[in-house]
């Protein structure tokens, strides 16, 4: 059975290739979506090519709703989006993928049943299909090559849906097994380098030494170091001093 997670139904209208249906199922399951409806597939149903392509998402195909036509597929829906790249002579609101899935999330949260239509691979949705939708979704693609593969379009909508229902940080930093260096760790590292560089005559001439040290310290503060980084840099300086004192050319 499909999960209980509130979500839109993805409706594949007259899909032509089983491989694309399977790839669409896989794309849906990547983002936790499992409400698939297949409308009048060209090569019949079930389709072994779809199963092979779905990989670990075969369950979606087993549980997919099979409808003879679009009205039957949309019989339980209260709001419908149609994905299309072609201009239409129809007066409808046009959403970006992000805006559409934001509205879908709001509607579903209010108890409505939402569907997203995806057209067949050759030419996409027909005007009669789009006329049954409440709104259009258009992807800002290259106008000279606007056609998206069926599974690509499903993947894009699934991604935007996931963004609406889950907090996704814009950036995370994986520390692995390391910890961030503390202020004390960095101070000890700076002192180590300043002492050795002073001995080497780096801070010259004397009247510019304090300014150079300030710039040098500022360099360290711009870097976020881990304790492993600090230990490595201490080791680098120790080895350089050993090498110099050994008299090696």
């Amino acid at each position: 059975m499909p999960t209980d997670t509130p979500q839109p139904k993805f409706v594949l209208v007259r899909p032509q290739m089983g491989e694309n249906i399977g790839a669409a199922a896989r794309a849906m399951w990547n983002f936790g979506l499992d409400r698939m409806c297949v409308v009048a597939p060209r090569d019949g149903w079930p389709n072994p090519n779809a199963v092979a392509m779905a990989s670990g998402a075969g369950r979606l195909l087993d549980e997919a709703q099979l409808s003879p036509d679009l009205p039957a597929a949309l019989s339980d829906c209260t709001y419908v989006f149609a994905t299309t790249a072609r201009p239409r002579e129809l007066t409808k609101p046009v959403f970006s993928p992000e805006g559409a899935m934001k509205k879908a999330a709001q509607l579903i949260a209010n108890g409505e049943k939402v569907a997203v239509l995806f057209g067949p691979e050759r030419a996409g949705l027909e005007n009669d299909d789009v006329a049954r939708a409440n709104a259009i979704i258009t992807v800002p693609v290259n106008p000279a090559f606007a056609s998206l593969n069926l599974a690509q379009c499903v993947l894009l909508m699934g991604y935007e849906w996931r963004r609406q229902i889950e907090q996704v940080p814009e950036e995370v930093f994986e520390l692995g097994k390391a910890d961030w260096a503390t202020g004390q760790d960095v101070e000890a590292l700076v002192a180590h380098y300043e002492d050795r560089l002073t001995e080497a005559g780096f801070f010259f001439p004397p009247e510019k030494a304090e300014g150079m040290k300030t710039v040098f310290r500022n360099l360290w503060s711009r870097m976020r170091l881990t304790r492993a980084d600090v230990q490595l840099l201490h080791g680098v300086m120790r080895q350089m001093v050993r090498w110099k004192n050994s008299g090696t050319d």
Side-chain angles (χ1 to χ4, degrees), residues 9-219:
K9 176 166 65 174
F10 278 21
V11 181
L12 311 187
V13 182
R14 300 182 299 279
Q16 296 168 311
M17 297 180 63
E19 291 86 349
N20 285 334
I21 301 172
R26 186 170 182 175
M28 287 176 64
W29 194 229
N30 281 148
F31 297 102
L33 291 158
D34 61 357
R35 305 288 198 284
M36 173 183 277
C37 178
V38 183
V39 177
R42 183 190 67 182
D43 296 337
W45 196 256
N47 187 312
N49 292 332
V51 175
M53 194 67 179
S55 188
R59 177 180 68 79
L60 273 70
L61 303 178
D62 295 337
E63 299 167 354
Q65 175 188 348
L66 178 63
S67 294
D69 53 38
L70 191 53
L74 302 180
S75 62
D76 62 341
C77 298
T78 60
Y79 199 95
V80 179
F81 292 97
T83 60
T84 178
R86 292 188 286 124
R88 305 286 181 165
E89 300 300 325
L90 300 169
T91 302
K92 290 184 185 293
V94 179
F95 287 85
S96 67
E98 180 180 8
M101 292 302 95
K102 182 176 183 180
K103 184 172 181 64
Q106 294 168 346
L107 292 168
I108 291 170
N110 290 330
E112 297 203 41
K113 294 185 177 181
V114 175
V116 183
L117 307 184
F118 302 87
E121 296 90 322
R122 184 179 61 82
L125 295 169
E126 297 178 358
N127 275 359
D128 187 58
D129 302 321
V130 178
R132 299 179 187 280
N134 301 99
I136 287 172
I137 304 173
T138 295
V139 180
V141 293
N142 175 8
F145 191 62
S147 178
L148 285 176
N149 173 272
L150 172 60
Q152 290 175 326
C153 194
V154 169
L155 182 76
L156 178 59
M157 296 304 151
Y159 167 72
E160 292 295 350
W161 168 256
R162 190 74 175 188
R163 289 184 63 209
Q164 298 305 319
I165 64 169
E166 185 173 292
Q167 287 292 106
V168 180
E170 292 187 0
E171 180 182 356
V172 294
F173 203 104
E174 297 290 344
L175 275 172
K177 297 181 180 180
D179 295 319
W180 289 118
T182 65
Q184 183 177 359
D185 296 329
V186 175
E187 282 295 318
L189 180 65
V190 172
H192 184 188
Y193 271 69
E194 283 189 358
D195 289 347
R196 299 291 84 79
L197 290 171
T198 297
E199 292 173 3
F202 177 78
F203 298 110
F204 183 85
E207 61 271 19
K208 294 186 178 181
E210 287 308 311
M212 292 175 69
K213 288 180 180 180
T214 298
V215 171
F216 188 65
R217 181 174 294 274
N218 189 54
L219 181 151

